[in-house]
Amino acid sequence: MVQAKTWILKQHFEGFPKDTDFELKLEQLSEPRDGEVLLEAVFLSVDPYMRPFSRVRMQAGDVMIGTQVARVIQSNNPSFPVGCHVVGRCGWRTHTVTDGSNITKILVDWPQDVSLSHALGAIGMPGLTALYGLEEVCAIKPGETLLVNAAAGAVGSVAGQIAKLKGCKVVGSAGSDDKVAYLKELGFDQAFNYKTVPSLEEALKNASPEGYDCYFENVGGPFSSVAIPLMKEFGRIAVCGGISLYNDTTPQTGPYPHLQMIFKQLKMEGFLVGRWQHKNDESLKRMLTWMQEGKLKCKEHVTAGFENMPAAFMGMLRGENIGKAIVKV
């Protein structure tokens, strides 16, 4: 019988998460039955979505939601033999017994020299989010100008690079000088530290005086209120996230963008990556090829130790990571 370590949401977050909101528990797992497998976590993901989703998808006492790369260590399911690696929606836990309905095999031709942790980042959900936000929501075209905020994060950094591959001008906003330097390494045409510029509006105007065709929105709040009036006519806005809002105890209010959206005939669309899951295999292979060709660069911020899951999660929400935040068991 295997003992799993799990991180429980002890109580719903009020404002920014605290250590006391989490509790480490042990769980005795039964032997896998016919059709089931036993997984052992190798890498776990911490992502911004966990903060708002915990409120609507979880009850106090539940295991924290999340995705992991895991190795199959016992199997009674021929689809998942012992030794294979999977991506699983298993939550914050070291071991899981599953019937296979919440796991997917890592791509068959995954290169030996590429860490499996990237299946939680650029060659996984964040990468797919960037790709579909640009291709499916924005329908971005060569020669257009893209604005990305939280641009040094797991999604934003990939979105900017994909837009460059498609022949676009890319402007990125990030929250530290180190992050701005990273964006320039990635080939962003313009990048700035929104925390230190005297005026966000002037920084956006200077970066692209002619305005923006597409806006990949990860932040929301006051940034969005400044950016939307700078969109070109018929501009498209892909609303991926709103991290500036996640820890509010009092909802933010206005300014409201309605008149700008009407006069400029803007399209603003929220999306969840699962809408296009039927395209995932082809999309992941495409991005893996870009990575192998050196066209897609992916930095990781790795925290060692399952016991540090809450610290890694809170650090990510504070913006301490450049690229994808990962926990290595």
Side-chain angles (χ1 to χ4, degrees):
M1 187 174 289
V2 171
Q3 192 175 66
K5 296 177 184 176
T6 66
W7 277 107
I8 302 296
L9 179 67
K10 191 174 179 182
Q11 59 202 9
H12 277 294
F13 306 123
E14 293 295 337
F16 195 88
K18 308 178 295 295
D19 286 330
T20 52
D21 295 328
F22 306 94
E23 183 179 1
L24 184 61
K25 284 192 171 182
L26 298 177
E27 180 183 329
Q28 299 293 334
L29 299 182
S30 58
E31 291 291 316
R33 295 174 295 188
D34 187 42
E36 293 184 333
V37 298
L38 174 62
L39 306 177
E40 183 175 66
V42 181
F43 298 102
L44 294 102
S45 182
V46 288
D47 299 283
Y49 80 84
M50 295 172 178
R51 174 63 180 86
F53 272 55
S54 68
R55 175 64 68 177
V56 296
R57 300 281 177 91
M58 295 181 64
Q59 302 294 323
D62 289 349
V63 174
M64 273 294 295
I65 55 175
T67 308
Q68 61 179 246
V69 170
R71 180 172 53 249
V72 176
I73 58 173
Q74 281 183 246
S75 178
N76 293 318
N77 185 328
S79 297
F80 302 101
V82 169
C84 77
H85 287 86
V86 299
V87 175
R89 299 185 302 277
C90 305
W92 293 11
R93 50 192 307 128
T94 57
H95 296 81
T96 306
V97 173
T98 174
D99 62 4
S101 60
N102 62 339
I103 61 177
T104 306
K105 265 188 180 177
I106 297 283
L107 289 174
V108 177
D109 49 356
W110 191 276
Q112 291 292 318
D113 60 344
V114 175
S115 172
L116 290 172
S117 57
H118 287 299
L120 300 174
I123 318 300
M125 180 276 289
L128 292 170
T129 301
L131 185 73
Y132 297 147
L134 293 176
E135 291 189 345
E136 305 293 337
V137 180
C138 286
I140 200 164
K141 298 186 282 291
E144 293 190 318
T145 300
L146 171 72
L147 172 62
V148 189
N149 52 18
V155 175
S157 60
V158 175
Q161 291 180 83
I162 292 174
K164 289 302 298 176
L165 287 173
K166 292 179 175 292
C168 299
K169 175 182 175 180
V170 179
V171 176
S173 166
S176 75
D177 292 344
D178 286 345
K179 291 180 179 181
V180 169
Y182 176 57
L183 297 182
K184 291 178 178 176
E185 285 177 28
L186 295 180
F188 281 56
D189 297 279
Q190 299 286 334
F192 63 87
N193 182 345
Y194 74 90
K195 292 181 180 178
T196 58
V197 292
S199 162
L200 177 59
E201 181 179 9
E202 288 305 311
L204 290 171
K205 285 180 176 178
N206 291 338
S208 182
E210 70 281 5
Y212 297 91
D213 300 283
C214 296
Y215 171 22
F216 200 106
E217 168 70 288
N218 293 307
V219 174
F223 190 108
S224 188
S225 298
V226 175
I228 289 175
L230 301 179
M231 297 296 293
K232 295 181 184 179
E233 191 174 21
F234 302 113
R236 290 91 69 203
I237 304 166
V239 183
C240 170
I243 197 167
S244 72
L245 312 172
Y246 294 165
N247 297 302
D248 288 350
T249 51
T250 303
Q252 297 180 32
T253 59
Y256 301 104
H258 300 75
L259 288 179
Q260 293 285 347
M261 294 188 71
I262 295 166
F263 294 151
K264 293 192 174 184
Q265 303 185 71
L266 304 179
K267 173 188 172 186
M268 187 175 189
E269 181 178 346
F271 70 101
L272 297 174
V273 66
R275 193 196 311 182
W276 301 280
Q277 63 182 3
H278 60 285
K279 297 187 175 187
N280 283 2
D281 280 351
E282 179 273 329
S283 299
L284 291 171
K285 288 174 183 174
R286 197 156 39 119
M287 290 191 292
L288 186 56
T289 298
W290 287 337
M291 180 183 279
Q292 290 180 285
E293 292 173 348
K295 297 175 182 176
L296 181 61
K297 299 180 177 67
C298 310
K299 186 171 281 192
E300 293 181 310
H301 183 97
V302 180
T303 301
F306 182 77
E307 68 277 9
N308 292 317
M309 288 291 298
F313 175 61
M314 291 185 283
M316 176 272 304
L317 288 177
R318 289 190 198 100
E320 294 173 2
N321 58 298
I322 296 179
K324 181 71 187 83
I326 294 288
V327 174
K328 182 178 181 179
V329 179

